[in-house]
Amino acid sequence: MNLGFKIPEKGTLDFLSLGALVTRLDPGIIPFRKATEVAIHVSGGEFNVAANLSDCFKLNTGVASAMVDYPIGDLVAERVRAMGVKPIYKHFEHDGTRGPNIATVYSDQGFGVRAPVVFYNRCNEAAALLKPGDFDWKAIFGQGVRWFHSGGIFSALSESTAETLIEALKAARAAGVICSFDLNYREKLWKTVGGAKRAHEVLGKIVENVDVLVGNEEDLQKGLGFEGPEVGASSKLDPSVFLGMIDQVVKRYPNIKIVATTLREVHNTNHHSWSAVAWVNGKTVNAPTAELKVLDRVGGGDGFAAGFIYGLLSGQEPEEAIKLGWAHGALMTTFPGDTTMATLDQVKAFASGGSARIQR
């Protein structure tokens, strides 16, 4: 099928993302106010996609990010290596007291009727200090990159991170690299840097430079200022509200050829109905709906993005790519942490209608 763009067939890297690396402290089902121990996950919406594509889908991936030279940085760098992702770092020295720091995300898993709670410590975050000129994008993309990706979380960190991303996107497009962007609208982050008005301004400039957009109707409304029905007024599994907004999106941003999103109905913290939909250069493709028993919902959206992008990079038709994204996102909810523990065989089996019967 005609995607509206041509993906480069070869590259030193199949996929490169730009974003903040963070540690996520996870006390499991215990709320933080009563926690006595935590698991440490290395995360970051942009990094997660690169890690998933490397570890599960066996692509050559990289991440451009800030790295702080102190023990927490060492921990993060080790986990990046363990997932097989090539690091491209701007290094910062820690002063021993105040930073700059690797940011921390605090996120319990919730349970049953109790929803997960997420909050941040992004004080003096090294990634927020990234600025244009910190990376030699011409040299990076000149080595051959097939797909470049970033997201709304990185864009919200500071004025200079948005400018850094726009610099990277322009260099990527000049080099013929396909560019994707996950709107990932986080109200808590944007509230501290100017709120919705600034989000519309910043994200609008970014989206002018991308081919593939990931985000649901809420992201489109709150992140880009599109008009639509009240969020939550219809079934979360009904794609009609999302699809009804596409005409507005492509009219304002004719450069966009694909818009994709997950569809999730949360019955309780551990029971979700899960699907996905994409508009691909004028055609709609849908994933099936699955009933998920959820262990940890964090990272499901990045899991979907990775599987969907893998499908397109590997030459699959959009109908297959959306199923691969849906299947990998579903499997992500069965693992603790933010990055994949799935195998490609498991993803393909679930995408083709496999079951959870024991594998002997």
Side-chain angles (χ1 to χ4, degrees):
M1 178 184 170
N2 179 16
L3 300 176
F5 53 74
K6 183 171 174 52
I7 302 172
E9 291 183 12
K10 293 181 180 178
T12 305
L13 289 176
D14 296 303
F15 179 93
L16 173 67
S17 64
L18 167 66
L21 289 159
V22 305
T23 55
R24 173 183 163 212
L25 303 188
D26 171 16
I29 64 170
I30 309 298
F32 266 97
R33 63 186 297 268
K34 295 291 184 180
T36 56
E37 57 186 9
V38 295
I40 303 174
H41 309 300
V42 170
S43 182
E46 299 83 8
F47 164 69
N48 293 345
V49 184
N52 295 341
L53 283 167
S54 170
D55 188 75
C56 175
F57 297 99
K58 307 307 179 190
L59 296 186
N60 293 319
T61 74
V63 63
S65 191
M67 175 51 61
V68 184
D69 298 329
Y70 73 140
I72 301 300
D74 294 340
L75 181 156
V76 170
E78 187 277 331
R79 210 70 60 86
V80 172
R81 289 194 302 271
M83 295 303 284
V85 178
K86 177 184 176 182
I88 302 171
Y89 292 143
K90 163 75 174 180
H91 284 267
F92 294 84
E93 288 293 329
H94 193 274
D95 68 6
T97 306
R98 294 180 177 84
N101 301 299
I102 299 283
T104 303
V105 178
Y106 301 84
S107 176
D108 68 38
Q109 294 174 15
F111 190 80
V113 297
R114 176 167 51 85
V117 175
V118 180
F119 55 100
Y120 307 88
N121 182 355
R122 306 197 86 124
C123 188
N124 198 6
E125 179 180 5
L129 304 176
L130 291 173
K131 62 187 186 304
D134 280 345
F135 300 101
D136 186 345
W137 296 116
K138 188 172 182 181
I140 291 167
F141 292 121
Q143 294 175 12
V145 177
R146 300 175 67 203
W147 193 294
F148 176 70
H149 177 77
S150 193
I153 293 175
F154 180 69
S155 313
L157 296 183
S158 68
E159 191 171 325
S160 66
T161 58
E163 292 169 352
T164 304
L165 174 53
I166 291 170
E167 176 191 56
L169 286 165
K170 289 181 175 176
R173 288 173 73 82
V177 179
I178 301 304
C179 298
S180 61
F181 184 75
D182 189 334
L183 280 165
N184 241 341
Y185 186 82
R186 296 289 186 272
E187 196 163 352
K188 288 179 183 176
L189 288 178
W190 285 106
K191 191 185 292 185
T192 62
V193 292
K197 184 178 178 183
R198 172 161 168 77
H200 299 166
E201 179 187 334
V202 170
L203 295 176
K205 289 178 182 175
I206 290 166
V207 171
E208 288 174 359
N209 294 283
V210 305
D211 306 290
V212 178
L213 191 61
V214 179
N216 60 25
E217 59 268 24
E218 184 174 2
D219 294 322
L220 295 172
Q221 289 179 45
K222 293 187 175 181
L224 292 172
F226 285 108
E227 293 183 4
E230 182 184 344
V231 173
S234 62
S235 167
K236 297 287 188 183
L237 295 174
D238 180 2
S240 62
V241 175
F242 167 78
L243 294 170
M245 298 179 70
I246 296 299
D247 285 346
Q248 291 184 64
V249 176
V250 297
K251 185 176 181 180
R252 189 188 298 179
Y253 304 107
N255 49 292
I256 292 175
K257 304 304 179 189
I258 297 177
V259 189
T261 188
T262 58
L263 302 168
R264 188 195 306 249
E265 184 89 57
V266 178
H267 305 287
N268 64 49
T269 295
N270 308 103
H271 174 203
H272 298 180
S273 299
W274 170 260
S275 189
V277 63
W279 177 91
V280 182
N281 199 26
K283 181 180 178 181
T284 301
V285 292
N286 294 277
T289 298
E291 298 301 317
L292 303 183
K293 191 168 184 180
V294 176
L295 173 68
D296 183 356
R297 71 168 285 169
V298 178
D302 297 328
F304 163 75
F308 183 62
I309 291 169
Y310 165 77
L312 299 177
L313 281 170
S314 61
Q316 304 285 332
E317 289 295 317
E319 292 84 354
E320 289 306 310
I322 194 86
K323 287 181 187 176
L324 289 166
W326 165 80
H328 186 248
L331 287 167
M332 280 294 306
T333 67
T334 71
F335 309 124
D338 304 41
T339 54
T340 193
M341 296 182 184
T343 66
L344 182 53
D345 285 345
Q346 288 172 331
V347 174
K348 288 181 174 177
F350 191 72
S352 61
S355 71
R357 289 187 63 178
I358 190 168
Q359 296 178 8
R360 297 185 186 277

